[in-house]
Each structure stands twice: as structure tokens, then as C-alpha cells.
């Protein structure tokens, strides 16, 4: 950090948040220890702006904070009832659209969707669940795909295309029909180049992409969000812990 | 008020039931252990598996475990809604169908045929059709698909501490709030 010139700042919920030129509101807020809930954002990837959970009000207007660069003097509202209620609504839509049966999910306790639900005080999905039929893909010898849990964040799509250079995953369909697909003639994961060391294996925020024979190696109760809520874990991660 | 007139605090009347559930949530309620004693100073039980009273009378609070998998579940739920001022969906199954709802993408006829006729180890099987048996629903539903639910207490089951926090908040007239470690979907 330069000692000569103070970094520019914006205001978030009444606190000064310093930022670097070009940095997004979300990245700057997290770096300053101020949590904003998000699902599709990942610090190593170009922001996507699709889940809208990180929406804040900047100078009175709503923006996805992950895609909006910070400006000196911006006045940002984030942790307010109006925005948290909207975020909770978005998370409830996701729980309604998929089959999120946490009691049997290997990702439970490590799951961003679940942890954000806890953070927002979501006690039910509110809407009538759709119970979509989404068969598993267990064709790959090392990897299981459980599409029931996909929230369409495209992190695996981005990781596989940009880091692994394999483009194993893609989204197909539109609107409520939109779904994750595997980029192979057969549509099966076994017929792709996916390997267990791929970046795409480690970015899923929910429990879609799972290593076989590794289930519940870390017991429930000792997982990422068991000790501390995501509100604390997410800002620690930014500090390099 | 003269000091010799004892103030009699009216106990809250509480009914509980398990629909398409496993009684795990009821077990978790019992897991509040010695806190049951102060709780029973504040509440009295109406219809409940713990009292074996079959039908629900007028109650302040109804706690329902389990979702709706058959016609009898729906009748029972409506009975509770008609008699309970506050109705609470307790546990994953009541809130989103839970484990029983994992059959929802299967055809109910095929399900019954597999279990009772063609399944591994089934001999001389038949699909139970006694008129006393409630008919299964095509899909398992959460409670809020059928009636208005006032509060949701998630968990599979909700921990004893979560149930205690919830009940003490509610009985004290506060909006129940589960913090980190108490709110769980699993």
C-alpha cells in the first residue's frame, strides 16, 4: 500500500471503504471486512453479475456490486432490510427451482447457498417447490454430477473454459428451462476430458460436482460454515486466511 | 390486587403431530431434557403422540412434523389449522417435503409396484388396498402448499437448542429468531 497518497474511498452503510482504481464495490467491501452476500462471484474470475444476490444501492440506485466499479464518494447501502429481503427472495427462488435436500447433501456445511440462506434468516423457501426431475450423471469413474443442486452460477463453466481450457460445462435452455449440460456428444461426463485436478472441480458453490468415494470425509459439524457464519468466513478469505 | 389473590397464569395449550415424518423432530423436542420441566410450567399438551389424545381441540400453538404424503395427512393438517392459533412447520419434511419427497419425480404406481410386487426379495406380494389405509398423494407436499403456516423451524431435525430457543421466544411473545449454529437445513 502506498504511504504517500491515501486510497480513494466510498461510503458503505455509514463506513468508509477504501478501494483501488477499477475495483468493484463488492471486492473492495470484502477486502475491507464488510460482507455483502453473493453466490456467483469468485475473486479469481471475471464477475458475472447473474445471481443478483450482491445487489446494493449505489447513490440510491440498485446495482450488482460485483460488476460495478467503485467511485470516490459513492454512497452505498447494503445491509438494510429492503435489500436483505430481496436477497432472501432470490435465494428462496433457487431453493424452489432445484431439489435442495440438505439432509442428504455431501456439500451441507460447505455450501454457499445454504450459508447465505442461514445468513439471511431464511427458514423456508416460501414458494411451492417445483421438484424438477434431474437425473444424476455418474458415468465418470472419479466424479459424480448431481444436477438437482445447480444454481446456474456458471463458475464451473468459467473455470473449465478459462483455466482448464476444456469447456466441459455449459448452460443450455432459457428461462426456467435453463440447465447445466456436459459438453460431449453423448452428454455424459465420462466422455469429456475432465480430470480431478481441474479448477472446475473446486469452484462449485453448492453440491453439484463431487469426487466419488470422498463423501463425508469431513464430518458434518466440522465444515466450513459450521464454526463461523459465511459473513465472517467470506471476509477472512479475502484477507488471505 | 390484594396479595392473597394468587395470579393464575394461563398455560399455553399446545398440540403436536407427526405427518409424513419419522418422529425425529419429536425426539429432538424431548432432547431439551431437564428444560422440559420449566417448559411444562408454561404449556399443557393437547393432541400429541405424547398424550395419545387423538383429535385436536382449541389450541394456542400447533407443532407439525412431517410433510403431506397421503390424504389423512391433509385432513390432520386442516384439523390443526382450524384449531391452532399459531401453526408451526417443524423440520425439513414439513418445510420442503424432505426425505419422503425424494419420490416426487417417480410415478406413484411404479413406486408401489416396485416396493410391493417386483422388488428384490418380494414373494407373493400385493399392493395394500385396505379401505382403512389412507390413499397416497401423487407427490409429497410441504405444509405451506395446503394451509397458512405461521412459522418455520428448519432442521433435520431442528436441534434441541433450536427448539428451546424457538419455543421460549414464542412463549415470551418475541418473534422467534435462530442465530448461527441454531439455524440448520440439515
Amino acid at each position: 500500500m502506498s504511504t504517500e497518497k491515501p486510497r480513494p474511498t466510498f461510503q458503505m452503510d455509514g463506513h468508509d471503504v477504501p478501494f483501488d482504481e477499477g475495483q468493484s464495490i463488492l471486492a473492495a467491501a470484502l477486502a475491507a471486512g464488510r460482507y455483502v452476500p453473493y453466490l456467483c462471484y469468485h475473486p479469481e474470475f471475471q464477475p458475472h453479475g447473474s445471481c443478483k444476490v450482491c445487489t446494493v444501492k449505489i447513490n440510491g440506485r440498485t446495482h450488482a456490486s460485483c460488476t460495478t466499479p467503485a467511485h470516490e464518494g459513492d454512497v452505498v447501502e447494503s445491509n438494510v432490510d429492503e435489500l436483505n429481503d430481496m436477497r432472501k427472495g432470490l435465494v428462496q427462488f433457487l431453493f424452489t427451482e432445484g431439489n435442495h435436500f440438505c439432509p442428504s447433501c455431501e456439500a451441507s456445511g460447505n455450501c454457499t447457498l445454504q450459508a447465505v440462506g442461514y445468513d439471511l434468516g431464511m427458514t423456508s423457501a416460501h414458494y411451492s417447490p417445483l421438484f424438477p426431475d434431474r437425473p444424476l450423471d455418474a458415468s465418470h469413474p472419479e466424479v459424480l454430477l448431481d444436477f438437482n443442486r445447480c444454481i446456474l452460477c456458471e463458475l464451473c463453466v468459467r473455470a473449465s473454459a478459462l483455466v482448464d481450457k476444456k469447456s466441459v460445462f455449459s448452460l443450455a435452455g432459457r428461462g426456467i428451462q435453463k440447465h447445466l449440460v456436459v459438453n460431449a456428444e453423448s452428454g455424459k461426463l465420462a466422455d469429456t476430458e475432465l480430470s480431478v485436478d481441474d479448477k472446475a472441480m473446486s469452484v462449485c458453490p453448492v453440491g453439484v460436482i463431487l469426487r466419488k468415494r470422498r463423501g463425508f470425509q469431513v464430518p458434518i459439524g466440522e465444515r466450513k460454515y459450521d464454526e463461523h457464519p459465511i459473513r465472517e468466513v467470506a471476509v477472512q478469505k479475502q484477507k488471505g486466511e | 390486587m390484594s396479595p392473597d389473590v394468587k395470579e393464575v397464569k394461563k398455560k399455553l395449550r399446545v398440540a403436536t403431530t407427526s405427518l409424513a415424518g419419522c418422529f425425529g423432530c419429536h425426539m429432538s423436542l424431548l432432547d431439551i431434557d431437564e428444560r422440559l420441566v420449566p417448559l411444562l410450567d408454561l404449556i399443557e399438551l393437547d393432541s400429541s403422540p405424547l398424550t395419545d389424545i387423538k383429535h385436536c381441540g382449541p389450541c394456542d400453538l400447533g407443532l407439525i412434523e412431517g410433510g403431506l404424503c397421503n390424504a389423512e395427512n391433509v385432513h390432520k393438517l386442516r384439523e390443526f389449522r382450524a384449531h391452532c392459533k399459531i401453526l408451526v412447520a417443524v423440520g425439513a419434511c414439513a418445510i420442503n417435503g424432505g426425505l419422503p419427497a425424494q419420490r416426487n419425480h417417480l410415478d406413484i404406481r411404479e413406486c408401489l409396484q416396485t416396493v410391493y410386487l417386483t422388488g428384490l426379495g418380494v414373494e407373493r406380494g400385493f399392493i395394500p388396498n385396505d379401505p382403512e389405509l389412507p390413499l397416497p398423494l401423487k407427490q409429497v407436499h410441504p405444509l405451506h402448499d395446503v394451509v397458512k403456516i405461521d412459522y418455520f423451524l428448519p432442521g433435520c431435525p431442528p436441534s434441541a437448542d433450536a427448539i428451546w430457543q424457538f419455543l421460549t421466544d414464542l412463549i415470551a411473545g418475541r418473534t422467534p429468531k435462530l442465530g448461527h449454529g441454531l439455524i440448520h437445513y440439515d
Side-chain angles (χ1 to χ4, degrees):
Chain A
M1 202 188 296
S2 156
T3 47
E4 298 135 33
K5 207 174 154 203
R7 293 163 78 204
T9 61
F10 62 88
Q11 281 249 315
M12 179 180 256
D13 297 332
H15 298 265
D16 283 338
V17 176
F19 66 95
D20 300 320
E21 200 56 46
Q23 200 174 20
S24 70
I25 296 268
L26 178 62
L30 292 172
R34 307 208 70 80
Y35 176 65
V36 178
Y38 60 85
L39 294 172
C40 72
Y41 170 78
H42 190 293
E44 294 171 42
F45 294 98
Q46 189 82 3
H48 203 240
S50 65
C51 78
K52 303 294 177 202
V53 172
C54 73
T55 297
V56 295
K57 274 195 178 178
I58 304 168
N59 305 324
R61 296 185 61 147
T62 53
H63 296 270
S65 62
C66 67
T67 54
T68 310
H71 292 102
E72 172 95 57
D74 277 347
V75 177
V76 180
E77 280 178 84
S78 174
N79 194 11
V80 293
D81 286 350
E82 180 193 349
L83 291 169
N84 284 330
D85 286 349
M86 177 226 60
R87 291 168 181 148
K88 186 161 84 175
L90 292 171
V91 172
Q92 286 173 321
F93 280 143
L94 290 170
F95 270 92
T96 303
E97 273 179 29
N99 295 310
H100 298 279
F101 179 45
C102 297
S104 85
C105 182
E106 157 56 17
S108 192
N110 291 326
C111 173
T112 311
L113 181 69
Q114 186 190 58
V116 168
Y118 294 166
D119 183 73
L120 296 168
M122 186 196 97
T123 55
S124 90
H126 181 80
Y127 305 99
S128 192
L130 298 184
F131 297 121
D133 185 10
R134 297 188 191 162
L136 311 182
D137 181 344
S139 62
H140 194 282
E142 302 289 339
V143 182
L144 173 73
L145 291 184
D146 189 335
F147 297 103
N148 290 293
R149 302 156 181 169
C150 184
I151 57 170
L152 310 175
C153 69
E154 288 200 73
L155 276 172
C156 60
V157 177
R158 286 180 270 171
S160 188
L162 301 171
V163 181
D164 306 329
K165 311 283 182 204
K166 293 180 183 175
S167 293
V168 169
F169 299 103
S170 183
L171 292 189
R174 294 181 74 82
I176 195 68
Q177 304 300 332
K178 195 175 217 179
H179 61 290
L180 183 66
V181 290
V182 170
N183 189 8
E185 190 99 5
S186 63
K188 291 292 178 196
L189 194 64
D191 298 324
T192 67
E193 297 297 306
L194 183 86
S195 98
V196 292
D197 307 317
D198 284 357
K199 185 74 180 167
M201 285 296 299
S202 65
V203 291
C204 182
V206 290
V208 178
I209 306 173
L210 300 169
R211 274 293 291 278
K212 287 184 179 177
R213 295 173 290 278
R214 293 282 173 92
F216 299 95
Q217 272 197 336
V218 179
I220 298 282
E222 295 174 19
R223 294 176 170 209
K224 201 161 151 194
Y225 303 116
D226 284 329
E227 187 104 357
H228 300 284
I230 193 167
R231 180 166 288 278
E232 291 167 24
V233 177
V235 296
Q236 277 161 11
K237 204 162 65 183
Q238 297 298 311
K239 290 174 191 161
E241 282 180 37
Chain B
M1 194 186 290
S2 74
D4 55 348
V5 179
K6 254 196 179 163
E7 198 189 336
V8 180
K9 250 196 174 170
K10 203 179 151 285
K11 287 186 175 183
L12 286 185
R13 202 160 172 82
V14 179
T16 79
T17 190
S18 177
L19 303 178
C22 68
F23 282 89
C25 297
H26 276 82
M27 297 306 291
S28 205
L29 167 64
L30 297 179
D31 268 346
I32 66 173
D33 296 334
E34 72 274 17
R35 290 171 287 187
L36 279 165
V37 179
L39 182 66
L40 287 171
D41 287 337
L42 300 170
I43 68 159
E44 57 187 1
L45 285 172
D46 192 274
S47 172
S48 165
L50 305 168
T51 58
D52 213 25
I53 299 171
K54 299 297 182 203
H55 290 281
C56 180
C59 284
D60 300 296
L61 178 61
L63 304 174
I64 302 195
E65 162 191 346
L68 306 165
C69 78
N70 63 36
E72 197 252 346
N73 292 159
V74 178
H75 287 297
K76 192 82 185 169
L77 175 63
R78 291 207 163 118
E79 181 186 304
F80 265 62
R81 180 69 278 183
H83 289 98
C84 301
K85 287 182 199 158
I86 294 174
L87 203 56
V88 185
V90 181
C93 302
I95 291 170
N96 62 22
L99 178 70
Q102 302 308 296
R103 75 156 159 93
N104 279 2
H105 64 280
L106 304 171
D107 179 69
I108 180 69
R109 181 190 300 271
E110 283 173 26
C111 250
L112 290 169
Q113 281 173 344
T114 307
V115 172
Y116 291 107
L117 295 175
T118 61
L120 198 66
V122 178
E123 282 176 42
R124 286 178 293 148
F126 69 98
I127 295 177
N129 62 354
D130 191 290
E132 281 211 354
L133 291 174
L135 287 171
L137 304 178
K138 193 176 162 201
Q139 285 199 316
V140 178
H141 293 271
L143 304 184
H144 70 267
D145 267 6
V146 173
V147 299
K148 160 99 169 92
I149 296 295
D150 301 298
Y151 295 102
F152 299 86
L153 174 52
C156 185
S159 67
D161 288 342
I163 292 175
W164 176 251
Q165 175 78 43
F166 181 88
L167 289 178
T168 48
D169 275 353
L170 205 61
I171 291 168
R174 296 185 292 263
T175 302
K177 198 167 166 18
L178 301 173
H180 177 71
L182 291 182
I183 184 166
H184 265 285
Y185 306 152
D186 64 353

